Amino acid sequence: MTSSLTELSIAAASEALRARKFSARELTQAHVDAIAALDSQLNAFITQTPELALAGADQADAALSRGDAGKLAGIPLGIKDLFCTTGVRTTAASRILGHFVPPYESTVTANLLRDGAVFLGKTNLDEFAMGSSNESSAFGPVTNPWSPPGKALVPGGSSGGSAAAVSAGLAMGATGTDTGGSIRQPASLCGIAGMKPTYGRCSRYGVVAFASSLDHPGPFGRSVADCATLLGSMAGFDPKDSTSADRAVPDFAAACARGVKGLRIGVPREYRQDGMAQEIDALWEQGLAWLRDAGATVVDVSLPHTKYGLAAYYIVAPAEASSNLARYDGVRFGLRGQTNGDLDDLYELTRAEGFGEEVQRRILIGTYVLSAGYYDAYYTRAQKVRALILRDFTEAFGQVDALLTPTTPNAAFAQGEKVDDPVTMYLNDVFTVPADLAGIPAMSVPAGLDGAGLPLGLQVMGRPFDEETVFAVGAAIEKSAGFTARPRLRAGV
Ligand code: GLN
């Protein structure tokens, strides 16, 4: 029983909980046990909160017996350690916040708690969500559960702990944030589903800021429907975030069953890259064939400014990060360097000790592109590119309802392989950053395995606030792909 409890979908678990086939405590205990058995190998969690989780499960059991349980009652989740959680340490995987215990709850996690979800702990990530491999975490790298024996692969990043935990059955779902691909890329590399909703759909209140105009909270699940259920709970207008969208939250889970008959699916030809692995190209073609077979029409579209997306992202994101991270100065909260009283020394020492190499690199790039002599040459130009990328999407969505591309240009790679070469690392994000720059919804769906048996995802992008179509297309791909492979390292094995 214990291992099968860590395999269930959220819908199946909710139904069984309501039918009292097992209790929320049993379901949570199975996940707590799975974490205890596997996390020494995966390092998916920075902070485990088993007592809080079991107490939450007991509350869910009480609500289930009373008949007033929320829609996620008793569902055990992992929370990316970038979401502030009242009384539970929130580190952003940085030494500078290594002992930070927030006095308040992020809106997204508050929404999940309102609906009865149980939090198993805080998941590992790249420091301040800057990275594509989880290797920049001050709490050590996460191992991809699909790693073959004797070789540690990265889970992707930055939300690598969340993706690894869900993939391995340590959590039924998890939260992530996607600034340049940090939900979709790790979802693809770990063989699960991940959704980045429209900018403003999920509140950023209480999410440690990386690049505020690009930060998108969103869910991970083992299926498209699980993502839809989680997003339904996480999303919603929040007056505490001035960029939050005052829009009703549709029934995302219902949209998964809509099918794709009559939909027009665009293939942006600029995403067909020289040197892209043949099997990724083949999977993309397969995905298009599946959608055609399911009744959609596939047409070529052009997104001519795609090639500038990565360059624009790696200017805008560091620029905003350098400004957001100015608050970590050792004065008000977080780490404080030991000095003899000189204020400049305090800033210098605190930030030199507190930030890792990648974060320091971003701060330097960001400060440079915002400096008086270079602002127009870099930052202003990048913003113009951003506007053009949005315009490309707007024009494409005049002709099609959704776009299909690969999520990543490669499958999971080995730890250490790209860490000394930032530009190669940044290339991981080539297919994911355009949707962040444009703020449009995009998800990764597990669609197949490569020759080495590693998962590959396909990306569906949609119109702003039309997550429903993205879910419908994602669910159609999931159904045709029939992806049932599970990682080697997983609960109950
Ligand atoms: N890999 C990208 C970066 O390093 C994206 C990170 C993210 O989405 N948080 O900036």
Side-chain angles (χ1 to χ4, degrees):
M1 190 64 180
T2 317
S3 75
S4 62
L5 289 181
T6 57
E7 311 257 317
L8 293 171
S9 69
I10 292 178
S14 290
E15 203 182 301
L17 284 168
R18 268 157 238 273
R20 311 308 277 155
K21 295 214 171 100
F22 48 77
S23 65
R25 178 169 263 270
E26 286 172 290
L27 183 63
T28 293
Q29 188 67 56
H31 288 86
V32 167
D33 293 346
I35 294 170
L38 271 178
D39 206 46
S40 55
Q41 288 174 77
L42 298 177
N43 198 30
F45 284 84
I46 290 177
T47 304
Q48 300 176 19
T49 56
E51 293 87 11
L52 280 175
L54 289 166
D58 289 344
Q59 279 181 22
D61 277 326
L64 286 159
S65 347
R66 284 194 310 268
D68 62 0
K71 58 185 173 195
L72 290 176
I75 300 299
L77 303 177
I79 302 299
K80 185 179 187 179
D81 204 16
L82 201 62
F83 290 80
C84 286
T85 40
T86 311
V88 176
R89 180 174 74 143
T90 299
T91 68
S94 181
R95 274 190 301 278
I96 215 155
L97 286 177
H99 302 286
F100 175 57
V101 179
Y104 68 106
E105 192 75 26
S106 81
T107 298
V108 161
T109 49
N111 289 348
L112 290 166
L113 290 170
R114 172 204 63 207
D115 288 341
V118 165
F119 295 168
L120 296 159
K122 308 298 291 288
T123 57
N124 207 342
L125 64 149
D126 281 295
E127 185 177 5
F128 282 102
M130 296 172 190
S132 308
S133 67
N134 221 299
E135 293 169 286
S136 76
S137 168
F139 295 83
V142 174
T143 296
N144 189 319
W146 293 79
S147 300
K151 186 176 180 191
L153 303 179
V154 305
S158 65
S159 319
S162 284
V166 173
S167 168
L170 306 191
M172 298 197 92
T175 65
T177 58
D178 192 311
T179 302
S182 280
I183 291 176
R184 291 161 288 156
Q185 186 253 14
S188 176
L189 269 46
C190 289
I192 60 169
M195 154 58 97
K196 178 197 86 71
T198 311
Y199 185 76
R201 182 66 97 176
C202 286
S203 170
R204 289 181 297 106
Y205 177 78
V207 181
V208 176
F210 165 6
S212 305
S213 78
L214 293 159
D215 294 343
H216 301 73
F220 287 96
R222 282 190 294 270
S223 67
V224 173
D226 282 359
C227 279
T229 301
L230 291 172
L231 182 62
S233 188
M234 294 164 70
F237 176 60
D238 179 11
K240 295 198 206 103
D241 170 0
S242 61
T243 59
S244 170
D246 194 356
R247 298 244 181 177
V249 178
D251 186 345
F252 297 127
C256 295
R258 275 187 191 175
V260 295
K261 224 185 208 93
L263 288 185
R264 291 173 66 83
I265 307 294
V267 193
R269 45 186 110 86
E270 292 79 6
Y271 278 61
R272 188 151 273 132
Q273 298 229 327
D274 288 345
M276 186 163 82
Q278 199 279 330
E279 46 201 340
I280 293 185
D281 202 36
L283 184 67
W284 190 8
E285 286 305 325
Q286 177 66 70
L288 295 167
W290 286 329
L291 293 176
R292 248 185 244 113
D293 290 347
T297 310
V298 172
V299 295
D300 270 3
V301 294
S302 177
L303 300 170
H305 298 93
T306 299
K307 57 178 177 294
Y308 306 117
L310 203 62
Y313 171 81
Y314 276 99
I315 291 171
V316 175
E320 294 188 23
S322 70
S323 152
N324 271 328
L325 270 54
R327 71 190 69 167
Y328 306 105
D329 57 6
V331 176
R332 290 198 55 196
F333 59 93
L335 183 91
R336 173 174 300 183
Q338 290 306 313
T339 62
N340 51 16
D342 182 83
L343 188 63
D344 286 333
D345 278 355
L346 173 69
Y347 293 160
E348 247 174 57
L349 215 78
T350 300
R351 292 166 70 83
E353 279 174 15
F355 291 136
E357 193 181 320
E358 183 60 27
V359 172
Q360 294 192 17
R361 180 180 298 122
R362 304 286 178 113
I363 292 172
L364 288 173
I365 296 172
T367 309
Y368 181 80
V369 300
L370 290 175
S371 60
Y374 296 99
Y375 190 97
D376 286 338
Y378 293 106
Y379 186 70
T380 307
R381 279 185 128 186
Q383 292 290 24
K384 287 182 178 164
V385 168
R386 190 174 183 181
L388 292 171
I389 285 176
L390 176 59
R391 197 172 72 189
D392 284 357
F393 279 117
T394 307
E395 281 172 13
F397 288 125
Q399 304 161 51
V400 296
D401 302 293
L403 299 164
L404 188 77
T405 73
T407 307
T408 51
N410 47 258
F413 46 93
Q415 283 175 5
E417 193 179 313
K418 301 188 183 185
V419 79
D420 295 326
D421 183 355
V423 174
T424 308
M425 188 68 92
Y426 297 170
L427 284 171
N428 264 280
D429 309 324
V430 63
F431 298 146
T432 48
V433 293
D436 293 284
L437 289 165
I440 60 171
M443 88 176 298
S444 181
V445 183
L449 298 175
D450 73 1
L454 297 175
L456 295 170
L458 288 174
Q459 172 174 241
V460 184
M461 296 182 272
R463 297 187 179 102
F465 296 104
D466 189 14
E467 286 85 358
E468 288 167 282
T469 299
V470 175
F471 281 126
V473 175
I477 288 175
E478 177 178 61
K479 194 168 157 196
S480 302
F483 185 92
T484 51
R486 294 298 314 277
R488 184 178 65 86
L489 298 168
R490 64 175 192 276
V493 176

